[in-house]
């Protein structure tokens, strides 16, 4: 291959580094109305009366919309392919506000100053009620987050709004209680991960306008353009045919933009007024009214026999979906389905969960999508089991890890057809210097360095659900246009799909022109989420290239007076098999086709996969702990990743490094906190800490490639798996340094110091 598995520079690199206008706010019409939201100061309240008369008199105000001005049909903001598993539990504006920051009114005006002035003049009378804030008290609480009768769960997933349940289920194989009772070694622990913010550089933002056909144009920073079209249509109660969604460049998403966070508000303003409108979330709004990671509490029971073979795994997850159910029924599944299958010898397992409503900001999708929380719990429990057995935790993993050819328990009956997890563990162990550093090395009078390790798996799209499509067009002079429906959110999918197309067609990379998403022009694609783009849409590219080559040979053969199987195409020239001098170039073919032939060559191909082959990885952390202050300093983090064939070595490495840093932030720094009244404390980057370049230590990533037969050029995914190992690896390193187990994230210096002092006193 000339381009696949090579470090090709991103197609948009120069545009981005030179500051070209490529993002939503750059491209929004200049005469847009400014749209802002009046947000609820209460976690649970009813709007008894709302007075907007004084606010409407402010010069430059175009409209003020309340619950009286919106359709009364509930919908979900979750950008997911049918069957939609998230409940219909929202209105654009509702009398019942369910978290501090919930939308009460929409204000649109000609200037930001006018809108800000109008927001202050709206008067709202609230009937304040007691909120449900504790996930342990939410289920069957007499205080209901969603008491309405028109709440609807389209798929039977155990949800019941009259019990504050968004979803609930149990699945099991074998008798796990009986198996665990016979195990020589067992552990039973509970782990807690708080919600985390994606903190992408570009906040949520959308601009809308009406075209000359009376259609609503939505220009938005989104991962899910086709789902945005459907959701906006439902929210406004208009036909989806009246909505066109255009996606410009995205300044980061990480799953946050898999929900329709900002789109419906300017869309409603434009639909009501006919005027262009835009909404740009401030950083504070992105912190208090967005779609963060789900808080989860995961209870784990593990058991092993005398030889260290894990016999049974029991996982129960309590997930906090917040005020609304976006992604609630789907994220929780990954907490078990992407952790239990790592241990392929278990005779029995049980995975149960409850997803509860509470009166805090609703959660959504975030890189890892529930697997991150589940893997922190299960991998930490494995580390604790190893300690109980007096066994090196790497040795315990080597005895139990899933290997190529094995059926993966709790992973939909799939077999690990491509798996180098054993090599990943071996390589990570070597890279970190495990044998020399485990469990710790004293480095100073009051400092120690220690190591910890964890494994992880994810998926490649959603098997039997996600669809990727591309359209490939042959242009005059012999170059191609590749129309895609997936969203490049900075990951470089435009580039890697072009790499695949160039190798598939035998042309130069520069001869592939990639066009981003416009729902009027692009072929349907589920969107960029669930680690699907490379694997699913990539296969659509492979199919399209095969179809294009076939069409080129058909058309050229007809002109040359031959049959299709009598010619071959090398990417530049179509030649007769037995007579290479009888040929025509690709530009000559196009000229012939455009001169009255009527057979212009365009192909459209789609792909969906019945399986979701998981990528695997092993990660190892080395940290230094100051035993006098409790400060944890990351020194090294190494990762060995099996993502099948690496399509672009530079972009894959950047994906891995970025995910590891996010995992490190989740483990040591990021802590969403609420007051007793349900108000978010961390409303900016001064109080919500994310790691900077100075906080992450040295990161090294290597690849242990497998070959996935069902993937393009043997590729699997890499986008999400890389966030999953830092939490359990660093938590175990902290234990190895201090003797303290921390089962709630983040692990802060204060907690370590207080734990050491308590230990000293004891």
């Amino acid at each position: 291959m000339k381009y696949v598995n090579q470090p090709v520079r991103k197609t948009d690199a120069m545009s981005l580094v030179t500051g070209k206008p490529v993002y939503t706010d750059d491209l929004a019409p200049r005469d847009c109305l400014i749209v802002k939201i009046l947000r609820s100061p209460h976690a649970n309240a009813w709007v008894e009366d709302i007075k907007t008369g004084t606010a409407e008199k402010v010069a430059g105000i175009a409209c003020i919309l309340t619950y009286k001005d919106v359709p009364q049909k509930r919908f979900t903001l979750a950008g997911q392919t049918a069957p939609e598993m998230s409940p219909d539990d929202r209105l654009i504006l509702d009398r019942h506000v369910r978290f501090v920051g919930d939308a009460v009114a929409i204000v649109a005006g000609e200037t930001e100053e006018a809108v800000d002035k109008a927001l202050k003049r709206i008067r709202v009378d609230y009937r304040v009620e007691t909120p449900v804030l504790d996930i342990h008290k939410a289920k069957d609480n007499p205080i209901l987050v969603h008491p309405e009768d028109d709440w609807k769960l389209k798929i039977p997933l155990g949800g019941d709004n009259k019990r504050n349940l968004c979803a609930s289920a149990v699945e099991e194989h074998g008798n796990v209680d009986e198996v665990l009772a016979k195990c020589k070694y067992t552990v039973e622990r509970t782990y807690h991960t708080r919600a985390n913010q994606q903190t992408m550089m570009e906040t949520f933002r959308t601009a809308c306008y009406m075209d000359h056909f009376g259609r609503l144009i939505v220009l938005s920073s989104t991962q899910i353009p086709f789902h945005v079209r459907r959701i906006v249509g439902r929210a406004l109660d208009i036909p989806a045919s009246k909505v066109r969604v255009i996606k410009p460049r995205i300044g980061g998403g990480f799953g946050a933009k898999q929900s329709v966070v900002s789109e419906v508000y300017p869309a409603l303003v434009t639909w009501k007024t006919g005027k262009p409108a835009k909404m740009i979330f401030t950083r504070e709004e992105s912190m208090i009214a967005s779609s963060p990671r789900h808080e989860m509490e995961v209870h784990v029971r593990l058991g092993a026999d005398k030889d260290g073979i894990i016999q049974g795994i029991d996982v129960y997850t309590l997930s906090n979906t917040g005020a609304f159910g976006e992604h609630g029924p789907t994220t929780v599944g990954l907490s078990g389905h992407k952790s239990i299958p790592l241990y392929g010898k278990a005779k029995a397992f049980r995975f149960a969960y409850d997803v509860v409503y509470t009166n805090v900001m609703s959660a959504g999708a975030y890189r890892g999508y529930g697997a991150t929380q589940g893997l922190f719990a299960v991998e930490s429990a494995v580390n604790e089991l190893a300690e109980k057995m007096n066994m090196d935790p790497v040795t315990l993993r080597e005895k139990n890890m899933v290997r190529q050819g094995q059926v993966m328990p709790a992973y939909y009956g799939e077999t690990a057809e491509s798996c180098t997890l054993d090599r990943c563990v071996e390589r990570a162990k070597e890279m970190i210097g495990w044998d020399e550093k485990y469990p710790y090395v004293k480095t100073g009078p009051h400092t120690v360095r220690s190591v910890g390790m964890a494994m992880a798996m994810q998926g490649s799209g959603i098997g039997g659900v996600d669809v990727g499509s591309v359209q490939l067009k042959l242009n005059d002079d012999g170059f191609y246009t590749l129309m895609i429906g997936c969203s490049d959110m900075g990951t470089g999918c435009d580039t890697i799909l072009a790499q695949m197309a160039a190798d598939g067609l035998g042309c130069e990379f520069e001869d592939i022109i990639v066009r981003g998403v416009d729902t009027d022009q692009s072929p349907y694609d589920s969107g960029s989420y669930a680690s699907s783009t490379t694997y699913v849409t990539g296969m659509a590219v492979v199919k399209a290239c095969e179809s294009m080559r076939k069409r080129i040979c058909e058309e050229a053969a007809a002109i040359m007076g031959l049959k299709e199987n009598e010619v071959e195409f090398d990417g530049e020239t179509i030649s007769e098999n037995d007579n290479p001098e009888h040929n025509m170039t690709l530009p000559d073919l196009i000229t012939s086709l455009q001169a009255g032939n009527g057979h212009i060559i365009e192909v459209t191909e789609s792909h969906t996969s019945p399986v979701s082959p998981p990528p695997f990885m092993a990660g190892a952390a080395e940290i230094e702990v100051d035993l006098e202050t409790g400060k944890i300093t990351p020194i090294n983090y190494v990762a060995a990743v099996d993502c099948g064939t690496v399509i672009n070595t530079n972009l894959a490495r950047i994906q891995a490094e970025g995910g590891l840093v996010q995992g490190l932030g989740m483990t040591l720094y990021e802590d969403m906190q609420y007051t007793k009244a349900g108000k978010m404390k961390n409303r900016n980057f001064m109080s919500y800490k994310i790691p900077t370049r100075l906080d992450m230590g040295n990161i090294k990533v290597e690849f242990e490639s497998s070959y996935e037969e069902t993937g393009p050029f043997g590729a699997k995914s890499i986008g999400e798996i890389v966030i999953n190992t830092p939490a359990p690896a660093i938590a175990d390193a902290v234990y190895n340094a201090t003797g303290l187990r921390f089962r709630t994230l983040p692990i802060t210096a204060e907690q370590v110091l207080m734990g050491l002092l308590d230990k000293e006193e004891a």
Side-chain angles (χ1 to χ4, degrees):
M1 294 292 105
K2 186 175 180 180
Y3 295 107
V4 167
N5 200 228
Q6 299 299 316
V8 176
R9 190 172 74 181
K10 287 179 64 179
T11 56
D12 59 356
M14 293 308 297
S15 295
L16 299 179
V17 299
T18 56
K20 292 290 193 302
V22 295
Y23 297 103
T24 298
D25 199 24
D26 298 328
L27 305 176
R30 293 190 177 184
D31 57 345
C32 277
L33 296 173
I34 304 300
V35 179
K36 293 193 177 187
I37 300 296
L38 178 69
R39 300 189 179 279
S40 169
H42 307 293
N44 188 14
W46 291 79
V47 176
E48 295 285 88
D49 189 28
I50 182 166
K51 296 181 175 65
T52 62
T54 304
E56 288 168 347
K57 294 177 182 178
V58 172
I61 292 299
C63 71
I64 298 177
L65 306 172
T66 71
Y67 69 89
K68 302 172 187 176
D69 304 304
V70 303
Q72 297 300 301
K73 291 183 179 179
R74 296 197 180 272
F75 60 94
T76 177
L77 294 180
Q80 297 172 300
T81 306
E84 289 180 289
M85 300 174 76
S86 298
D88 287 341
D89 55 9
R90 274 191 186 263
L91 300 174
I92 299 176
L93 298 169
D94 202 333
R95 278 193 62 218
H96 188 182
V97 288
R98 295 172 172 85
F99 69 97
V100 176
D102 203 354
V104 176
I106 304 169
V107 179
E110 295 171 1
T111 65
E112 189 169 4
E113 293 74 18
V115 173
D116 288 341
K117 185 181 291 186
L119 284 168
K120 295 175 183 177
R121 296 189 178 187
I122 298 173
R123 294 292 173 259
V124 186
D125 294 330
Y126 295 99
R127 185 177 83 242
V128 181
E129 298 187 351
T130 304
V132 180
L133 299 173
D134 187 338
I135 59 172
H136 304 98
K137 298 177 181 178
K139 183 179 174 180
D140 294 323
N141 195 306
I143 301 170
L144 296 179
V145 179
H146 283 276
E148 64 271 11
D149 292 329
D150 57 349
W151 179 94
K152 185 168 102 176
L153 186 60
K154 299 178 285 294
I155 305 293
L157 295 167
D160 185 347
N161 62 312
K162 299 304 171 69
R163 300 181 62 199
N164 282 336
L165 269 180
C166 179
S168 180
V170 179
E171 59 183 274
E172 50 192 322
H173 172 77
N175 190 326
V176 73
D177 296 318
E178 185 178 291
V179 168
L180 288 174
K182 294 178 180 178
C183 289
K184 182 173 182 180
Y185 303 99
T186 59
V187 295
E188 184 172 356
R189 299 287 186 267
T190 300
Y191 303 87
H192 184 202
T193 62
R194 293 193 176 93
N196 301 124
Q197 289 284 2
Q198 297 90 343
T199 63
M200 59 282 172
M201 290 175 66
E202 183 194 34
T203 61
F204 302 97
R205 52 196 58 202
T206 302
C208 299
Y209 58 93
M210 302 297 293
D211 71 8
H212 54 287
F213 295 113
R215 297 176 72 223
L216 176 65
I217 313 302
V218 180
L219 180 73
S220 192
S221 179
T222 178
Q223 298 171 223
I224 47 163
F226 286 93
H227 298 320
V228 169
R229 180 175 66 182
R230 181 188 72 246
I231 293 167
V232 168
R234 287 185 182 176
L236 273 58
D237 197 20
I238 62 176
S241 61
K242 291 287 187 181
V243 183
R244 174 186 177 191
V245 178
I246 302 171
K247 180 211 73 74
R249 305 311 299 170
I250 302 179
F254 309 115
K257 294 170 184 176
Q258 197 194 334
S259 295
V260 176
V261 175
S262 60
E263 286 86 348
V264 295
Y265 304 114
L268 182 64
V269 168
T270 295
W271 191 252
K272 292 276 190 181
T273 66
K275 298 179 180 179
K278 71 176 181 180
M279 185 172 189
I280 309 293
F281 271 46
T282 63
R283 180 57 62 182
E284 179 172 328
E285 284 182 299
S286 290
M287 299 296 284
I288 68 169
S290 53
S291 56
R293 187 186 295 285
H294 288 73
E295 173 192 18
M296 290 187 188
E297 184 178 271
V298 185
H299 182 82
V300 182
R301 291 196 299 158
L302 280 179
D305 63 16
K306 61 182 178 59
D307 298 318
I309 304 302
I310 294 173
Q311 302 290 313
I313 307 174
D314 187 7
V315 173
Y316 167 72
T317 302
L318 178 61
S319 178
N320 184 4
T321 194
F324 300 97
E326 283 94 30
H327 301 278
T330 45
T331 50
V332 70
L334 276 66
S335 67
H337 295 150
K338 302 296 168 71
S339 57
I340 297 171
L342 278 173
Y343 297 93
K345 296 182 179 179
K347 293 179 179 177
F349 73 85
R350 177 166 53 217
F351 174 41
Y353 58 79
D354 287 315
V355 182
V356 295
Y357 283 110
T358 62
N359 289 115
V360 298
M361 168 178 40
S362 60
Y366 184 3
R367 193 180 205 166
Y369 202 79
T372 314
Q373 298 95 307
L375 282 161
F376 168 61
V378 170
E379 286 297 279
S380 293
V382 169
N383 287 329
E384 295 200 47
L385 182 65
E387 178 209 352
K388 197 168 188 178
M389 299 172 66
N390 196 29
M391 182 183 289
D392 186 316
V394 175
T395 303
L396 182 59
R397 287 180 169 85
E398 290 171 339
K399 284 175 173 282
N400 290 280
M401 72 177 74
V402 66
R403 295 174 186 266
Q404 187 157 306
Q406 290 183 344
V407 174
M408 294 172 282
Y411 196 67
Y412 324 112
E414 290 190 25
T415 300
E417 300 289 2
S418 58
C419 175
T420 61
L421 182 57
D422 52 343
R423 283 167 30 202
C424 289
V425 169
E426 182 182 354
R427 188 73 188 105
K429 180 181 178 181
E430 178 185 317
M431 290 163 68
I432 203 70
W434 184 268
D435 291 337
E436 298 78 36
K437 298 174 181 178
Y438 176 77
Y440 71 90
V441 175
K442 195 165 180 60
T443 55
H446 49 81
T447 58
V448 294
R449 287 192 180 183
S450 58
V451 291
M453 182 181 281
M455 306 187 306
M457 61 180 285
Q458 195 76 35
S460 300
I462 305 172
V465 173
D466 283 341
V467 175
S469 302
V470 301
Q471 182 185 64
L472 193 57
K473 182 173 69 170
L474 179 58
N475 302 299
D476 48 338
D477 206 33
F479 70 96
Y480 302 89
T481 301
L482 180 66
M483 295 288 296
I484 64 175
C486 57
S487 294
D488 191 330
M489 49 181 163
T491 52
C493 78
D494 287 5
T495 305
I496 63 170
L497 295 176
Q499 288 176 251
M500 295 183 198
D503 275 342
L505 294 166
C507 67
E508 297 299 320
F509 179 75
E510 293 75 16
D511 290 334
I512 306 293
I513 309 302
V514 182
R515 292 297 306 273
V517 190
D518 179 334
T519 56
D520 271 9
Q521 300 177 23
S522 304
Y524 175 80
D525 194 292
S526 299
S528 295
Y529 59 88
S531 300
S532 62
T533 305
T534 298
Y535 177 73
V536 179
T537 308
M539 277 305 295
V541 171
V542 170
K543 288 181 176 180
C545 291
E546 292 170 352
S547 296
M548 176 60 72
R549 295 183 73 98
K550 180 174 175 24
R551 287 291 314 281
I552 288 171
C553 289
E554 286 175 351
E555 297 295 341
I559 295 171
M560 296 166 68
L562 300 169
K563 297 178 181 178
E564 179 196 341
N565 61 359
E566 294 177 333
V567 300
E568 60 182 10
F569 173 52
D570 65 4
E572 295 181 0
T573 305
I574 307 96
S575 307
E576 184 177 355
N577 295 338
D578 300 326
N579 182 17
E581 293 185 5
H582 183 199
N583 62 55
M584 67 187 311
T585 65
L586 200 56
D588 288 343
L589 172 62
I590 300 301
T591 300
S592 297
L593 295 178
Q594 290 178 341
N597 183 287
H599 291 181
I600 302 303
I601 303 179
E602 294 182 3
V603 298
T604 300
E605 293 287 352
S606 297
H607 181 72
T608 188
S609 173
V611 296
S612 175
F616 298 92
M617 74 170 290
E622 180 181 9
I623 62 170
E624 185 167 87
V625 180
D626 189 322
L627 301 178
E628 284 193 345
T629 65
K631 182 182 179 182
I632 303 167
T633 302
I635 303 298
N636 291 300
Y637 201 95
V638 302
V641 185
D642 165 22
C643 58
T645 299
V646 180
I647 302 297
N648 185 308
T649 51
N650 276 356
L651 296 181
R653 195 174 305 281
I654 291 168
Q655 282 275 317
E657 291 172 353
L660 293 172
V661 173
Q662 286 179 311
L664 186 149
M666 173 183 179
T667 308
L668 296 178
Y669 308 115
E670 300 179 42
D671 188 9
M672 284 175 59
Q673 299 176 346
Y674 289 91
T675 67
K676 292 180 180 180
K679 183 177 181 179
M680 168 90 55
K681 293 181 180 179
N682 322 71
R683 303 165 81 87
N684 53 50
F685 287 151
M686 294 297 290
S687 54
Y688 186 83
K689 302 294 185 181
I690 60 174
T692 69
R693 183 63 190 91
L694 300 177
D695 302 311
M696 63 182 71
N698 299 309
I699 293 175
K700 186 175 183 181
V701 176
E702 294 192 5
F703 300 99
E704 290 290 341
S705 295
S706 61
Y707 188 88
E708 175 52 49
E709 291 284 352
T710 66
F713 300 93
K716 299 187 287 190
S717 75
I718 194 172
E720 293 183 276
I721 186 174
V722 288
I723 199 172
N724 292 332
T725 59
I730 293 172
D732 200 46
V734 171
Y735 171 77
N736 291 332
T738 65
L740 301 171
R741 287 281 181 199
F742 292 95
R743 302 183 182 97
T744 296
L745 301 180
I747 305 168
T748 64
E750 292 83 355
Q751 291 172 327
V752 174
L753 180 59
M754 295 306 295
L756 289 170
L757 292 174
D758 291 344
K759 186 178 176 183
E760 192 175 300
E761 289 179 8

